[in-house]
Short mmCIF file of all heavy atoms in Angstrom, two decimals:
data_model
loop_
_atom_site.label_atom_id
_atom_site.label_comp_id
_atom_site.label_asym_id
_atom_site.label_seq_id
_atom_site.Cartn_x
_atom_site.Cartn_y
_atom_site.Cartn_z
N ASP A 21 11.26 7.99 -11.79
CA ASP A 21 12.48 7.20 -11.93
C ASP A 21 12.18 6.08 -12.93
O ASP A 21 11.13 5.44 -12.85
CB ASP A 21 12.85 6.61 -10.56
CG ASP A 21 14.15 5.82 -10.61
OD1 ASP A 21 14.10 4.69 -11.11
OD2 ASP A 21 15.18 6.32 -10.13
N PRO A 22 13.10 5.83 -13.90
CA PRO A 22 12.79 4.82 -14.91
C PRO A 22 12.63 3.41 -14.33
O PRO A 22 11.99 2.56 -14.93
CB PRO A 22 14.01 4.88 -15.85
CG PRO A 22 15.06 5.65 -15.14
CD PRO A 22 14.37 6.53 -14.17
N PHE A 23 13.17 3.15 -13.13
CA PHE A 23 13.11 1.81 -12.55
C PHE A 23 11.94 1.64 -11.58
O PHE A 23 11.28 0.61 -11.58
CB PHE A 23 14.43 1.48 -11.83
CG PHE A 23 15.62 1.57 -12.74
CD1 PHE A 23 16.52 2.62 -12.63
CD2 PHE A 23 15.82 0.63 -13.74
CE1 PHE A 23 17.60 2.72 -13.49
CE2 PHE A 23 16.89 0.72 -14.61
CZ PHE A 23 17.79 1.76 -14.49
N VAL A 24 11.70 2.64 -10.75
CA VAL A 24 10.64 2.47 -9.73
C VAL A 24 9.39 3.30 -10.01
O VAL A 24 8.41 3.21 -9.28
CB VAL A 24 11.17 2.80 -8.30
CG1 VAL A 24 12.26 1.85 -7.90
CG2 VAL A 24 11.63 4.24 -8.18
N GLY A 25 9.38 4.09 -11.09
CA GLY A 25 8.19 4.88 -11.44
C GLY A 25 8.06 6.16 -10.64
O GLY A 25 9.05 6.83 -10.36
N ARG A 26 6.81 6.51 -10.27
CA ARG A 26 6.56 7.77 -9.56
C ARG A 26 7.23 7.78 -8.19
O ARG A 26 7.24 6.77 -7.49
CB ARG A 26 5.06 7.96 -9.35
CG ARG A 26 4.30 8.35 -10.57
CD ARG A 26 2.82 8.27 -10.28
NE ARG A 26 2.25 9.54 -9.91
CZ ARG A 26 1.84 10.46 -10.77
NH1 ARG A 26 1.94 10.24 -12.05
NH2 ARG A 26 1.32 11.59 -10.34
N ILE A 27 7.75 8.96 -7.82
CA ILE A 27 8.36 9.13 -6.49
C ILE A 27 7.75 10.38 -5.87
O ILE A 27 7.74 11.44 -6.50
CB ILE A 27 9.89 9.31 -6.62
CG1 ILE A 27 10.53 8.06 -7.20
CG2 ILE A 27 10.50 9.64 -5.26
CD1 ILE A 27 11.99 8.23 -7.52
N LEU A 28 7.24 10.26 -4.66
CA LEU A 28 6.68 11.42 -3.96
C LEU A 28 7.53 11.71 -2.72
O LEU A 28 7.88 10.80 -1.96
CB LEU A 28 5.24 11.14 -3.53
CG LEU A 28 4.22 11.13 -4.67
CD1 LEU A 28 2.88 10.62 -4.18
CD2 LEU A 28 4.05 12.52 -5.27
N THR A 29 7.89 13.00 -2.57
CA THR A 29 8.70 13.41 -1.43
C THR A 29 7.86 14.26 -0.48
O THR A 29 7.04 15.06 -0.93
CB THR A 29 9.92 14.23 -1.92
OG1 THR A 29 10.65 13.43 -2.85
CG2 THR A 29 10.83 14.62 -0.78
N GLY A 30 8.09 14.09 0.81
CA GLY A 30 7.38 14.91 1.79
C GLY A 30 7.89 14.62 3.18
O GLY A 30 8.84 13.85 3.37
N ARG A 31 7.26 15.24 4.17
CA ARG A 31 7.65 15.02 5.56
C ARG A 31 6.60 14.11 6.22
O ARG A 31 5.40 14.32 6.05
CB ARG A 31 7.72 16.35 6.31
CG ARG A 31 8.04 16.16 7.79
CD ARG A 31 8.30 17.47 8.48
NE ARG A 31 7.15 18.35 8.44
CZ ARG A 31 7.14 19.58 8.98
NH1 ARG A 31 8.23 20.04 9.57
NH2 ARG A 31 6.08 20.34 8.92
N VAL A 32 7.08 13.11 6.95
CA VAL A 32 6.17 12.21 7.68
C VAL A 32 5.56 13.01 8.83
O VAL A 32 6.28 13.50 9.70
CB VAL A 32 6.92 10.96 8.19
CG1 VAL A 32 5.96 10.03 8.92
CG2 VAL A 32 7.61 10.23 7.04
N GLU A 33 4.23 13.15 8.80
CA GLU A 33 3.54 13.97 9.81
C GLU A 33 3.25 13.19 11.10
O GLU A 33 3.21 13.76 12.17
CB GLU A 33 2.22 14.52 9.24
CG GLU A 33 2.41 15.51 8.09
CD GLU A 33 3.04 16.81 8.53
OE1 GLU A 33 2.77 17.27 9.65
OE2 GLU A 33 3.84 17.36 7.76
N SER A 34 3.02 11.88 10.95
CA SER A 34 2.75 11.08 12.16
C SER A 34 3.05 9.61 11.89
O SER A 34 3.06 9.16 10.75
CB SER A 34 1.28 11.23 12.60
OG SER A 34 0.42 10.74 11.60
N GLY A 35 3.31 8.86 12.97
CA GLY A 35 3.54 7.43 12.87
C GLY A 35 4.86 7.06 12.20
O GLY A 35 5.75 7.88 12.07
N HIS A 36 4.95 5.77 11.77
CA HIS A 36 6.12 5.37 11.01
C HIS A 36 5.69 4.38 9.93
O HIS A 36 4.60 3.81 9.98
CB HIS A 36 7.23 4.79 11.90
CG HIS A 36 6.75 3.92 13.00
ND1 HIS A 36 6.44 2.60 12.83
CD2 HIS A 36 6.51 4.20 14.31
CE1 HIS A 36 6.03 2.09 13.97
NE2 HIS A 36 6.06 3.04 14.90
N VAL A 37 6.56 4.18 8.96
CA VAL A 37 6.20 3.35 7.80
C VAL A 37 7.41 2.53 7.38
O VAL A 37 8.56 2.98 7.50
CB VAL A 37 5.70 4.25 6.64
CG1 VAL A 37 6.79 5.14 6.09
CG2 VAL A 37 5.07 3.43 5.53
N LYS A 38 7.16 1.28 6.91
CA LYS A 38 8.24 0.39 6.49
C LYS A 38 8.09 0.02 5.02
O LYS A 38 6.97 0.06 4.48
CB LYS A 38 8.20 -0.90 7.33
CG LYS A 38 8.58 -0.70 8.77
CD LYS A 38 8.57 -2.03 9.50
CE LYS A 38 9.01 -1.84 10.95
NZ LYS A 38 8.91 -3.06 11.73
N VAL A 39 9.20 -0.37 4.40
CA VAL A 39 9.16 -0.87 3.03
C VAL A 39 8.30 -2.14 3.01
O VAL A 39 8.41 -2.98 3.90
CB VAL A 39 10.59 -1.19 2.51
CG1 VAL A 39 10.55 -1.84 1.15
CG2 VAL A 39 11.43 0.08 2.47
N GLY A 40 7.43 -2.27 1.99
CA GLY A 40 6.57 -3.45 1.88
C GLY A 40 5.21 -3.26 2.52
O GLY A 40 4.29 -4.06 2.31
N GLN A 41 5.04 -2.17 3.28
CA GLN A 41 3.75 -1.91 3.95
C GLN A 41 2.71 -1.47 2.92
O GLN A 41 3.03 -0.76 1.97
CB GLN A 41 3.95 -0.82 5.01
CG GLN A 41 2.75 -0.58 5.90
CD GLN A 41 3.11 0.42 7.02
OE1 GLN A 41 4.24 0.45 7.50
NE2 GLN A 41 2.15 1.23 7.44
N THR A 42 1.45 -1.87 3.12
CA THR A 42 0.38 -1.42 2.22
C THR A 42 -0.21 -0.13 2.79
O THR A 42 -0.60 -0.07 3.96
CB THR A 42 -0.72 -2.50 2.10
OG1 THR A 42 -0.11 -3.68 1.57
CG2 THR A 42 -1.82 -2.04 1.15
N VAL A 43 -0.24 0.91 1.94
CA VAL A 43 -0.76 2.22 2.36
C VAL A 43 -1.75 2.71 1.30
O VAL A 43 -1.95 2.05 0.28
CB VAL A 43 0.38 3.26 2.54
CG1 VAL A 43 1.28 2.90 3.69
CG2 VAL A 43 1.20 3.43 1.26
N GLN A 44 -2.35 3.86 1.55
CA GLN A 44 -3.29 4.42 0.57
C GLN A 44 -2.99 5.88 0.32
O GLN A 44 -2.26 6.52 1.09
CB GLN A 44 -4.73 4.26 1.07
CG GLN A 44 -4.99 5.05 2.36
CD GLN A 44 -6.45 5.05 2.76
OE1 GLN A 44 -7.33 4.69 1.99
NE2 GLN A 44 -6.73 5.48 3.99
N ALA A 45 -3.53 6.40 -0.79
CA ALA A 45 -3.41 7.83 -1.10
C ALA A 45 -4.81 8.41 -1.13
O ALA A 45 -5.70 7.85 -1.78
CB ALA A 45 -2.73 8.02 -2.44
N ILE A 46 -5.00 9.54 -0.40
CA ILE A 46 -6.30 10.22 -0.46
C ILE A 46 -6.10 11.66 -0.90
O ILE A 46 -5.07 12.27 -0.62
CB ILE A 46 -7.08 10.13 0.88
CG1 ILE A 46 -6.24 10.63 2.05
CG2 ILE A 46 -7.57 8.73 1.15
CD1 ILE A 46 -7.00 10.62 3.39
N SER A 47 -7.07 12.21 -1.62
CA SER A 47 -6.95 13.55 -2.20
C SER A 47 -7.22 14.62 -1.14
O SER A 47 -7.62 14.31 -0.02
CB SER A 47 -7.92 13.71 -3.36
OG SER A 47 -9.25 13.76 -2.85
N ARG A 48 -7.06 15.90 -1.55
CA ARG A 48 -7.28 17.03 -0.63
C ARG A 48 -8.71 17.06 -0.09
O ARG A 48 -8.96 17.57 0.99
CB ARG A 48 -7.02 18.36 -1.36
CG ARG A 48 -5.55 18.63 -1.60
CD ARG A 48 -5.35 19.91 -2.40
NE ARG A 48 -5.90 21.07 -1.72
CZ ARG A 48 -6.77 21.90 -2.25
NH1 ARG A 48 -7.20 21.72 -3.47
NH2 ARG A 48 -7.20 22.93 -1.56
N ILE A 49 -9.66 16.49 -0.86
CA ILE A 49 -11.07 16.53 -0.41
C ILE A 49 -11.49 15.20 0.22
O ILE A 49 -12.66 14.96 0.47
CB ILE A 49 -12.02 16.92 -1.57
CG1 ILE A 49 -11.81 16.01 -2.78
CG2 ILE A 49 -11.83 18.36 -1.96
CD1 ILE A 49 -12.84 16.20 -3.87
N GLY A 50 -10.50 14.29 0.45
CA GLY A 50 -10.78 13.07 1.20
C GLY A 50 -11.17 11.86 0.36
O GLY A 50 -11.56 10.83 0.90
N GLN A 51 -11.09 11.97 -0.98
CA GLN A 51 -11.43 10.82 -1.83
C GLN A 51 -10.25 9.86 -1.91
O GLN A 51 -9.10 10.30 -2.05
CB GLN A 51 -11.76 11.28 -3.26
CG GLN A 51 -13.12 11.94 -3.37
CD GLN A 51 -13.39 12.42 -4.79
OE1 GLN A 51 -12.48 12.80 -5.50
NE2 GLN A 51 -14.65 12.40 -5.19
N LYS A 52 -10.52 8.55 -1.86
CA LYS A 52 -9.45 7.55 -1.96
C LYS A 52 -9.01 7.46 -3.42
O LYS A 52 -9.83 7.27 -4.32
CB LYS A 52 -9.96 6.20 -1.47
CG LYS A 52 -8.87 5.14 -1.45
CD LYS A 52 -9.32 3.89 -0.73
CE LYS A 52 -8.27 2.81 -0.82
NZ LYS A 52 -8.65 1.60 -0.10
N ILE A 53 -7.71 7.63 -3.66
CA ILE A 53 -7.18 7.60 -5.02
C ILE A 53 -6.68 6.21 -5.38
O ILE A 53 -7.00 5.68 -6.43
CB ILE A 53 -6.04 8.63 -5.18
CG1 ILE A 53 -6.59 10.04 -4.95
CG2 ILE A 53 -5.38 8.54 -6.54
CD1 ILE A 53 -5.55 11.08 -4.70
N GLU A 54 -5.91 5.60 -4.49
CA GLU A 54 -5.40 4.25 -4.75
C GLU A 54 -4.85 3.64 -3.46
O GLU A 54 -4.57 4.35 -2.49
CB GLU A 54 -4.30 4.28 -5.83
CG GLU A 54 -3.07 5.07 -5.44
CD GLU A 54 -1.96 4.99 -6.49
OE1 GLU A 54 -1.82 3.95 -7.15
OE2 GLU A 54 -1.22 6.00 -6.62
N GLN A 55 -4.71 2.32 -3.51
CA GLN A 55 -4.07 1.58 -2.42
C GLN A 55 -2.86 0.89 -3.04
O GLN A 55 -2.96 0.34 -4.14
CB GLN A 55 -5.06 0.55 -1.87
CG GLN A 55 -4.57 -0.19 -0.63
CD GLN A 55 -5.70 -1.02 -0.02
OE1 GLN A 55 -6.82 -0.57 0.10
NE2 GLN A 55 -5.39 -2.26 0.33
N PHE A 56 -1.71 0.94 -2.38
CA PHE A 56 -0.51 0.35 -3.00
C PHE A 56 0.47 -0.11 -1.93
O PHE A 56 0.35 0.24 -0.75
CB PHE A 56 0.16 1.37 -3.94
CG PHE A 56 0.60 2.64 -3.26
CD1 PHE A 56 1.89 2.78 -2.76
CD2 PHE A 56 -0.28 3.72 -3.11
CE1 PHE A 56 2.30 3.94 -2.13
CE2 PHE A 56 0.12 4.89 -2.48
CZ PHE A 56 1.42 5.00 -1.98
N ARG A 57 1.46 -0.90 -2.39
CA ARG A 57 2.50 -1.40 -1.49
C ARG A 57 3.75 -0.58 -1.69
O ARG A 57 4.17 -0.34 -2.83
CB ARG A 57 2.77 -2.88 -1.85
CG ARG A 57 3.55 -3.62 -0.79
CD ARG A 57 3.65 -5.11 -1.15
NE ARG A 57 5.00 -5.57 -0.86
CZ ARG A 57 6.00 -5.55 -1.74
NH1 ARG A 57 5.80 -5.11 -2.96
NH2 ARG A 57 7.19 -5.99 -1.40
#
């Protein structure tokens, strides 16, 4: 999206998440890719 950048779509597998929360992305082999808000 030209305003918010990358957008990832998927199904929430567990828990819940709010806007503004800090989360992380990890790869298929378990490596940490980035931490973001």
Side-chain angles (χ1 to χ4, degrees):
D21 182 284
F23 303 108
V24 297
R26 285 171 96 85
I27 296 172
L28 288 170
T29 303
R31 176 172 62 180
V32 181
E33 294 293 324
S34 63
H36 40 82
V37 67
K38 291 182 177 175
V39 174
Q41 188 174 327
T42 300
V43 294
Q44 64 172 346
I46 54 178
S47 70
R48 287 176 60 234
I49 54 172
Q51 285 178 328
K52 184 169 175 178
I53 297 164
E54 63 176 327
Q55 186 171 316
F56 60 93
R57 195 174 138 269

